[in-house]
Amino acid sequence: MPSRNFLFCSLDAALCGDLAWQVGREGHDVKYYVEHDVDRDIADGFVEKVDDWRAEVDWADVVVFDDIWVGDEVGTGALAEKLRADGHAVVGGTPATDRLEEDRGYAMSVLEEAGIETVEHREFTNFDDAIEHVRSNPAPYVVKPLGEVQNVKRLVYVGRERDGSDVVDVLEAYESAWGHRMKGFQLQRRIDGVEVAVCGFFDGSEFVDPINFNFEHKKLFPGNVGPSTGEMGTAMFWAGRNRLFEETLGKLEDWLAAEGYVGSIDLNCIATDEGVYPLEFTPRFGYPTIALQEESLLSGSGGFLFDLAHGRRPEPTVHRGFQVAVRVVLPPFPFDDQKTYDESSRNAALVFDTEDGRPPEGVHIEDAKRVTPDGKPTADVDGEWRVAGETGMPLVVTGMGETMGAAREQCYGRVEDVLVPNLYYRDDIGERWIDGEGDRLHAWGYLGPQ
């Protein structure tokens, strides 16, 4: 397609640098705005940076927002809605779709009004009331904070004890440590099954075929243990409008069309032999999922985003096998410890064990920059790759294959070429599918037509 102008906007954490870089490599003109000072150097040298995104709106053929947050407030949906009303093509949400992520109770009401069965849940603003509820209704629960603090992913707690006693202990600890920041939280009854996310790209009127199905790995350590993180890796595949889609996200097609939503929307669910139960929305790009999606969009990301934002019913060509992404991280991730970050990770060199020293295929940037030896940003492909930002999430490495095992093999072969002191990552991304999750979803009939 002809070269287009893309403006990418990070008004909270800098999240879409890799997508902007990919679109630029496809021959489009790209500008990237990062709001927060601590993230300002992310993607330096990979894309052109600007200091005022509003001044570039008229230049852009497409404006892309990467999150729902503007600092500590929800708000990119309102910005996107206003820009669309002014005649601009925007990938972004609306105030109502932003609320799907920020307000879990509202999200459940939208699902229920669409005829989708939800897991038993209740909202609380008082810790004592929640503790009394668990003691009066003993069962395993999941604790999910509401509002801005929900971005501290390690605060999500999945109860293990059948009487809920561990949940009571966690709520008491949270009241002491986080009570001043938690405006509320939701208790969901825990359901055992296969956790799977149904992800669709919406063009303002309808979902784009095919649909993306992905499996998140949020715990820090292999075996799904340790603190929760935003994400340590993702396994996924693309497929048609099967039963899993039609019984969940597909039922929201009319609602999203009425909102005029444009972009990626993900509904994380628990599938069982009795039914599928939605847990939470991601009405924006997922991370690191978007890196894996762009890798498997064989027809290109720029043209896809342009058609999506202009309501031109994209018809992407995608990789039809399986895909795996691994997030490579550094200390102190997922925690905040300025001293540890300064000593172990800040500005660390990202080195690759390849013949020419350049990154292998399938390596995507998160908190990284490309600089000259004296630290200045450079677009030279031979520039040094270094850690940027403050969080210790420099890279995502991906792989694809006809089977999940083949995708894992390619991905982890590439990870071995990343030479960074103190790096760590999960080595089991995709194993759950191989160990039986895929068989269970097939046996329950979710991956066939409705």
Side-chain angles (χ1 to χ4, degrees):
M1 69 176 297
S3 176
R4 307 292 188 180
N5 297 337
F6 287 83
L7 173 63
F8 290 85
C9 300
S10 292
L11 305 185
D12 190 59
L15 300 171
C16 63
D18 188 75
L19 182 59
W21 182 39
Q22 173 64 30
V23 171
R25 285 183 292 171
E26 292 172 3
H28 301 286
D29 291 325
V30 170
K31 295 181 180 181
Y32 185 26
Y33 172 81
V34 177
E35 175 74 22
H36 281 190
D37 289 341
V38 295
D39 294 325
R40 196 65 59 83
D41 63 339
I42 291 175
D44 276 1
F46 291 99
V47 295
E48 180 184 349
K49 308 288 273 299
V50 296
D51 294 327
D52 182 358
W53 71 270
R54 293 180 184 276
E56 308 294 339
V57 166
D58 288 336
W59 166 86
D61 295 312
V62 181
V63 180
V64 181
F65 292 104
D66 64 0
D67 203 355
I68 69 169
W69 297 92
V70 181
D72 293 336
E73 303 294 332
V74 176
T76 59
L79 294 173
E81 189 173 68
K82 176 64 165 58
L83 288 174
R84 280 193 286 265
D86 292 340
H88 300 283
V90 183
V91 175
T94 71
T97 60
D98 284 359
R99 193 178 173 193
L100 293 174
E101 182 173 4
E102 190 267 342
D103 185 341
R104 297 182 191 275
Y106 172 73
M108 291 296 167
S109 69
V110 169
L111 290 165
E112 290 162 358
E113 289 174 7
I116 302 170
E117 186 176 1
T118 61
V119 66
E120 180 183 330
H121 60 277
R122 185 170 172 181
E123 308 284 324
F124 294 91
T125 57
N126 182 282
F127 285 92
D128 290 338
D129 291 344
I131 291 169
E132 178 58 32
H133 175 79
V134 174
R135 287 174 171 162
S136 300
N137 302 274
Y141 292 90
V142 180
V143 181
K144 295 188 172 184
L146 303 178
E148 180 268 335
V149 76
Q150 70 182 285
N151 289 327
V152 185
K153 300 299 184 183
R154 62 183 180 274
L155 295 181
V156 174
Y157 179 75
V158 180
R160 297 183 178 183
E161 301 299 329
R162 297 182 65 85
D163 63 357
S165 57
D166 58 330
V167 172
V168 170
D169 291 341
V170 167
L171 289 173
E172 289 175 343
Y174 281 4
E175 181 177 22
S176 175
W178 291 89
H180 63 294
R181 288 186 61 188
M182 277 192 188
K183 75 173 185 179
F185 49 91
Q186 183 183 87
L187 292 182
Q188 285 184 353
R189 183 71 66 94
R190 195 194 78 191
I191 293 179
D192 295 322
V194 175
E195 184 173 356
V196 54
V198 184
C199 179
F201 286 87
F202 203 81
D203 70 355
S205 300
E206 62 184 359
F207 281 106
V208 175
D209 290 326
I211 307 301
N212 184 262
F213 300 88
N214 60 82
F215 302 85
E216 301 175 341
H217 297 66
K218 292 185 177 180
K219 295 290 188 177
L220 181 61
F221 300 117
N224 215 37
V225 296
S228 291
T229 69
E231 181 81 4
M232 289 302 292
T234 305
M236 76 179 200
F237 61 89
W238 300 84
R241 296 185 173 222
N242 55 28
R243 179 186 165 202
L244 185 55
F245 168 78
E246 295 293 357
E247 291 188 3
T248 56
L249 205 55
K251 290 188 175 183
L252 296 175
E253 196 156 33
D254 290 343
W255 187 86
L256 291 167
E259 281 295 311
Y261 181 80
V262 178
S264 169
I265 183 165
D266 176 294
L267 183 57
N268 198 34
C269 307
I270 292 287
T272 74
D273 60 345
E274 297 180 348
V276 56
Y277 303 93
L279 301 178
E280 60 188 8
F281 283 98
T282 304
R284 51 174 173 80
F285 299 127
Y287 306 98
T289 308
I290 185 59
L292 194 52
Q293 290 168 335
E294 70 188 58
E295 181 81 7
S296 56
L297 279 170
L298 305 181
S299 50
S301 299
F304 178 74
L305 292 174
F306 181 88
D307 288 345
L308 196 74
H310 287 84
R312 293 172 53 171
R313 298 189 177 183
E315 297 181 354
T317 301
V318 301
H319 177 261
R320 285 295 186 174
F322 293 85
Q323 304 88 35
V324 169
V326 173
R327 181 174 261 162
V328 175
V329 299
L330 295 168
F333 181 86
F335 302 101
D336 297 322
D337 184 332
Q338 188 73 39
K339 181 179 179 181
T340 298
Y341 183 78
D342 289 343
E343 292 176 348
S344 303
S345 306
R346 185 177 300 280
N347 209 39
L350 303 171
V351 181
F352 305 99
D353 186 18
T354 57
E355 289 185 3
D356 59 4
R358 295 179 184 176
E361 293 293 324
V363 171
H364 298 258
I365 63 168
E366 283 202 297
D367 296 353
K369 58 189 175 183
R370 188 165 55 190
V371 298
T372 61
D374 59 355
K376 296 180 180 179
T378 178
D380 190 330
V381 295
D382 291 320
E384 296 180 2
W385 287 38
R386 292 189 175 271
V387 174
E390 297 279 337
T391 59
M393 301 186 304
L395 301 174
V396 173
V397 183
T398 65
M400 301 188 293
E402 292 186 3
T403 66
M404 190 69 80
R408 279 176 42 80
E409 183 178 359
Q410 185 181 76
C411 178
Y412 284 106
R414 291 167 170 173
V415 171
E416 290 179 359
D417 289 331
V418 180
L419 304 180
V420 184
N422 303 315
L423 70 82
Y424 45 101
Y425 56 89
R426 280 184 61 163
D427 63 1
D428 63 344
I429 308 301
E431 281 188 357
R432 297 202 312 256
W433 175 272
I434 297 171
D435 290 342
E437 286 190 343
D439 291 339
R440 294 166 75 187
L441 291 175
H442 279 290
W444 294 335
Y446 288 117
L447 302 184
Q450 173 75 337

